[in-house]
Amino acid sequence: MSRPLHRGSSGAAGERISGSSNDFWDSQMKDKTDKEDLERRASSDNNSIAFRFPIRVLFPDSSPSKHGNTGNGLASDPLIASTPRSRHKLALLLLKLSLILIVILALTGSFWWTISISTTSRGRVYHGYRRLQQQLVSDLWHIGELSLGSSRLRDLDFCPQEFENHVPCFNVSENLALGLSDGNEYDRHCEYGMRQNCLVLPPVKYKIPLRWPTGRDVIWVANVKITAQEVLSSGSLTKRMMMLEEEQISFRSASLMFDGVEDYSHQIAEMIGLRNESNFIQAGVRTILDIGCGYGSFGAHLFSSQILTMCIANYEASGSQVQLTLERGLPAMIGSFTSKQLPYPSLSFDMLHCARCGIDWDQRDGILLIEVDRVLKPGGYFVWTSPITNAETFRRNKVNQKRWNLVHDFAENLCWEMLSQQDETVVWKKTSKRNCYSSRKPGSGPSICSKGHDVESPYYRPLQACIGGTQSRRWIPIEERTTWPSRANPNKSELAIYGLHPEELSEDAETWKMAVRNYWSLLSPLIFSDHPKRPGDEDPSPPYNMLRNVLDMNAHFGGFNSALLEAGKSVWVMNVVPSNGPNYLPLILDRGFVGVLHDWCEPFPTYPRTYDLVHAAGLLSLEVDHQRRCTILDLFTEIDRLLRPEGWVIIHDKAALVESARALTTGLKWDARVVEIESNSDEKLLICQKPFFKKQAN
């Protein structure tokens, strides 16, 4: 049995070895040449593989070697059996692979670190970005208004004639086209085209209103939009008898239908238990909300008794109650009970008055009476004059009797006490006790609003079917409040309700007393060096023209209003609290003033040519601090709409903002002058007067 051969065939080997010496030499030389070629190819192949597949060194190829077999039959390994030159190449290869590995690890670590940062710090980064964005908007607002281009500085055009009495946000025909009905077409809808980029001209025959108090009883007919038929058919009690005398409308004190407003006011006082209307103040009545006020005669009569009456009525394209009341120099604004809450805080007025105001209080499950209850102070009065309340009518009209019973029963469920009923007038008194609501029979009357729904200062919020204001710290019966005029200066405990200290109000009062003295000396055309002196006129004493209706666009505590009254100025002030600022409107109303919450990026709910003086202290700074959807030019265009010809504008703000505003007055065609403030170099005054542009008749 022969043994297996491990090293090849002996016969073949013997033949090669036993050959001649020349053959042996040739064979050796050939082997040597083949070996060198083989090494060169191996080195070239290894370098190529190292660049194409750098990971190969970690996972050696297990396939048979192309270098052939070693003497023991195993594949030869060039990493073990190599020359010094090949070892040098191997070191370089390993170095390259190490660098590539380091780069891969660095990139991987950076990727995971980025993911970690983005997940753990996303909230902080986002809030930081929001702060930067808000600051950027503020800065751009400054820069944009300070560096207005020529296109923005050009004079604004005048509006077409149909804009003479236009009120943005109140477009009945457009609202009807949008499908609004059931009275909602008369409501305020600011989402539908609210601004115009033009200046509203007065009517052709417009005249400057007469000075107060003459202007209260006589107005120019051309200044308002009303027809002769509307004058003659004015049947409301508080419209009184109006007489058309050539170019004027005269409001007389007597009426053919009633005994007159004086007797009517006296009757209401007696029904409350007072001697006459001059005793309203002693009974705690200072502010009255007059719903559907006619032409303001009820408030005009009570003004002499220091009673402040705010008229509200629906928008009317012609014969507007609000427009005529304002033309008489009396407080008024457009307001509607149709679908939204009024922009007043809860517990705002001492009395609500409705004399044939056109509201059906028995409709809509009493929700309109709930809104009356919300704005009425504890112990306040609701006075309603209507044919429905006349007991003689019940016998002849069962429908009216049913309507009266609905109102009567609902008022009882609101914890109102009916004090008296005479002829067509009935007077209720709101409860002064909160526990009255909880003592009602279960299921009788509307429920009390929850804390989340009882918003103290709503801004045109939908009407609520629950009783509001019961959880307010301001629940103080009117008979327990300090009477007017002491009421204008709340004591320490009263101020604590609003989070204020007496020192804050005292400092504010002193500031405004000084400001009013300075303002009054500036309100003269003589402040403008280029203002022409009127032929034949002496230097006018400030203020030159009628100054009666005042609009304070950023009222704060109501200090400007208080200072004007203390200075003996015969004005009334509409105190506006911006919806984006600190809300001290409850304090203003509790002090015995009138006011409203408003967003100044929306048009104010009133007619053109409403105010004689518009005052804005700190308003521009307030608007800059918020991301706004309107500009200073939008704001000033609205001021121009509200301002009467020859009316005044006073802007008190930071110096940079005042200079910015000054640049805009050129486009508005206002006379303007910047005034330095000695006590404060960081702030300035901008005093402006709107010229009287007369439109030529066609």
Side-chain angles (χ1 to χ4, degrees):
M1 184 176 178
S2 61
R3 301 168 92 180
L5 293 177
H6 296 280
R7 298 182 185 267
S9 172
S10 61
E15 284 185 6
R16 283 195 297 272
I17 293 173
S18 62
S20 64
S21 61
N22 288 336
D23 292 337
F24 177 78
W25 175 254
D26 291 339
S27 175
Q28 290 292 323
M29 292 299 293
K30 183 179 180 182
D31 291 341
K32 182 177 180 182
T33 303
D34 292 340
K35 184 177 180 181
E36 289 176 356
D37 291 340
L38 183 61
E39 287 179 354
R40 281 195 299 271
R41 287 196 300 269
S43 176
S44 176
D45 290 343
N46 284 339
N47 289 341
S48 176
I49 292 173
F51 281 102
R52 293 177 187 171
F53 305 99
I55 205 68
R56 184 185 180 96
V57 70
L58 301 176
F59 302 97
D61 194 347
S62 59
S63 62
S65 175
K66 63 183 177 179
H67 300 295
N69 294 334
T70 60
N72 60 5
L74 301 176
S76 63
D77 189 352
L79 299 178
I80 298 174
S82 60
T83 64
R85 184 175 179 182
S86 64
R87 285 197 300 271
H88 176 69
K89 293 180 179 179
L90 178 62
L92 291 175
L93 175 63
L94 290 174
L95 180 61
K96 293 175 182 177
L97 292 173
S98 300
L99 290 174
I100 292 171
L101 183 62
I102 290 172
V103 171
I104 292 173
L105 292 174
L107 290 174
T108 304
S110 176
F111 174 73
W112 286 111
W113 179 80
T114 303
I115 292 177
S116 175
I117 285 294
S118 63
T119 54
T120 58
S121 304
R122 185 176 300 166
R124 293 191 297 271
V125 171
Y126 173 76
H127 290 300
Y129 167 76
R130 289 293 299 167
R131 287 195 297 270
L132 288 173
Q133 186 186 47
Q134 291 171 0
Q135 184 61 42
L136 176 63
V137 169
S138 174
D139 293 343
L140 289 176
W141 206 83
H142 276 285
I143 295 169
E145 299 293 350
L146 287 171
S147 58
L148 291 169
S150 58
S151 61
R152 291 289 304 278
L153 285 173
R154 66 177 177 81
D155 287 359
L156 293 178
D157 296 328
F158 291 112
C159 299
Q161 184 175 357
E162 57 266 25
F163 280 82
E164 278 182 6
N165 299 285
H166 174 65
V167 181
C169 301
F170 294 90
N171 190 324
V172 177
S173 58
E174 185 175 342
N175 293 340
L176 287 170
L178 291 169
L180 299 174
S181 58
D182 298 328
N184 291 320
E185 66 271 20
Y186 297 101
D187 214 338
R188 178 179 180 272
H189 299 280
C190 276
E191 59 271 23
Y192 310 128
M194 62 180 189
R195 291 193 179 277
Q196 70 272 1
N197 296 316
C198 56
L199 304 178
V200 178
L201 276 171
V204 175
K205 297 182 179 180
Y206 182 87
K207 294 183 179 181
I208 300 299
L210 300 171
R211 283 179 174 267
W212 180 271
T214 305
R216 175 188 59 193
D217 297 322
V218 179
I219 65 173
W220 301 108
V221 68
N223 289 9
V224 296
K225 187 176 182 180
I226 189 171
T227 65
Q229 182 61 33
E230 287 170 332
V231 173
L232 297 174
S233 63
S234 56
S236 170
L237 169 65
T238 54
K239 287 180 182 177
R240 302 165 68 182
M241 186 63 174
M242 291 165 43
M243 297 188 65
L244 192 60
E245 300 175 350
E246 295 183 356
E247 296 181 337
Q248 297 177 339
I249 297 177
S250 203
F251 297 85
R252 302 302 182 187
S253 59
S255 170
L256 299 177
M257 297 176 62
F258 302 96
D259 294 330
V261 173
E262 184 175 352
D263 290 342
Y264 173 70
S265 303
H266 187 79
Q267 178 190 6
I268 293 173
E270 289 182 336
M271 293 172 72
I272 291 175
L274 306 175
R275 183 174 180 180
N276 53 50
E277 63 271 26
S278 62
N279 297 118
F280 276 148
I281 292 289
Q282 283 68 38
V285 177
R286 155 68 179 171
T287 56
I288 299 176
L289 184 64
D290 195 0
I291 307 164
C293 61
Y295 296 142
S297 294
F298 183 61
H301 171 71
L302 293 177
F303 189 82
S304 59
S305 300
Q306 299 186 18
I307 305 297
L308 193 58
T309 303
M310 169 62 72
C311 163
I312 62 167
N314 284 335
Y315 166 77
E316 297 165 290
S318 180
S320 167
Q321 304 171 67
V322 171
Q323 188 181 39
L324 267 77
T325 300
L326 286 164
E327 189 67 22
R328 298 181 66 186
L330 300 167
M333 64 174 283
I334 301 173
S336 174
F337 272 86
T338 307
S339 61
K340 298 174 183 176
Q341 291 181 316
L342 297 171
Y344 309 120
S346 301
L347 320 180
S348 292
F349 295 94
D350 306 313
M351 178 185 287
L352 264 75
H353 174 255
C354 164
R356 295 188 177 181
C357 60
I359 294 179
D360 297 324
W361 299 108
D362 58 307
Q363 300 298 311
R364 302 183 59 186
D365 299 323
I367 198 169
L368 302 179
L369 287 170
I370 294 175
E371 178 65 2
V372 169
D373 182 85
R374 184 186 72 83
V375 298
L376 198 59
K377 289 182 182 293
Y381 303 95
F382 178 53
V383 180
W384 183 29
T385 298
S386 169
I388 296 176
T389 65
N390 193 334
E392 294 295 327
T393 307
F394 297 163
R395 301 186 182 95
R396 302 188 302 270
N397 192 324
K398 297 299 181 182
V399 174
N400 280 352
Q401 183 175 6
K402 181 180 179 181
R403 295 179 65 186
W404 160 251
N405 290 337
L406 284 171
V407 175
H408 175 272
D409 294 344
F410 198 87
E412 194 173 78
N413 289 330
L414 286 172
C415 287
W416 291 1
E417 178 190 359
M418 192 173 78
L419 298 181
S420 181
Q421 183 178 8
Q422 294 182 17
D423 302 326
E424 293 186 353
T425 302
V426 60
V427 177
W428 283 280
K429 182 179 177 65
K430 178 178 175 176
T431 183
S432 299
K433 301 176 181 178
R434 300 191 216 211
N435 59 7
C436 176
Y437 302 109
S438 58
S439 63
R440 296 175 300 172
K441 295 179 180 179
S444 61
S447 60
I448 297 175
C449 292
S450 63
K451 195 169 184 179
H453 285 84
D454 195 0
V455 179
E456 183 172 56
S457 297
Y459 186 67
Y460 297 107
R461 196 175 66 148
L463 288 170
Q464 303 293 302
C466 55
I467 299 174
T470 60
Q471 303 180 52
S472 174
R473 296 178 62 192
R474 297 170 48 243
W475 184 282
I476 302 173
I478 61 172
E479 56 267 20
E480 296 179 15
R481 288 183 178 271
T482 308
T483 57
W484 179 264
S486 300
R487 180 170 163 181
N489 301 298
N491 57 38
K492 184 177 181 180
S493 60
E494 291 171 335
L495 286 174
I497 296 174
Y498 316 99
L500 296 174
H501 298 286
E503 296 78 14
E504 295 178 80
L505 199 66
S506 298
E507 183 180 349
D508 183 74
E510 290 302 317
T511 299
W512 286 114
K513 286 178 185 177
M514 183 179 297
V516 165
R517 287 195 296 268
N518 294 333
Y519 287 171
W520 227 250
S521 65
L522 297 173
L523 298 184
S524 166
L526 301 180
I527 189 177
F528 311 117
S529 59
D530 57 345
H531 195 288
K533 193 170 183 179
R534 299 167 189 270
D537 285 354
E538 297 296 328
D539 290 348
S541 58
Y544 169 71
N545 61 347
M546 175 212 176
L547 200 62
R548 170 64 184 165
N549 300 351
V550 178
L551 175 68
D552 193 355
M553 299 179 72
N554 187 21
H556 202 48
F557 300 150
F560 182 51
N561 190 157
S562 179
L564 286 171
L565 294 181
E566 286 195 28
K569 308 302 179 184
S570 58
V571 301
W572 71 271
V573 181
M574 175 66 84
N575 295 281
V576 179
V577 173
S579 59
N580 60 332
N583 183 13
Y584 289 105
L585 185 58
L587 169 63
I588 290 171
L589 292 165
D590 289 348
R591 294 182 72 178
F593 308 143
V594 293
V596 68
L597 196 66
H598 185 66
D599 180 355
W600 280 116
C601 277
E602 299 174 354
F604 195 70
T606 192
Y607 292 83
R609 303 172 302 278
T610 292
Y611 290 97
D612 308 301
L613 171 64
V614 174
H615 175 255
L619 180 65
L620 301 184
S621 296
L622 179 65
E623 297 298 317
V624 165
D625 291 340
H626 293 78
Q627 186 174 345
R628 307 300 290 162
R629 62 186 187 277
C630 58
T631 65
I632 299 183
L633 183 60
D634 295 327
L635 195 64
F636 275 30
T637 305
E638 175 64 5
I639 292 174
D640 185 85
R641 185 184 73 86
L642 302 177
L643 200 61
R644 285 178 176 160
E646 295 192 358
W648 295 92
V649 180
I650 301 177
I651 306 291
H652 183 175
D653 223 301
K654 295 177 182 177
L657 291 174
V658 167
E659 294 293 347
S660 168
R662 171 65 181 87
L664 290 173
T665 59
T666 304
L668 294 163
K669 304 176 176 65
W670 293 352
D671 293 320
R673 171 62 53 83
V674 174
V675 179
E676 304 283 344
I677 300 176
E678 294 182 1
S679 59
N680 190 346
S681 59
D682 296 331
E683 297 180 352
K684 290 183 179 181
L685 286 178
L686 178 62
I687 309 294
C688 308
Q689 187 178 32
K690 176 181 175 179
F692 185 0
F693 291 104
K694 293 187 178 181
K695 184 171 60 176
Q696 300 297 322
N698 294 329

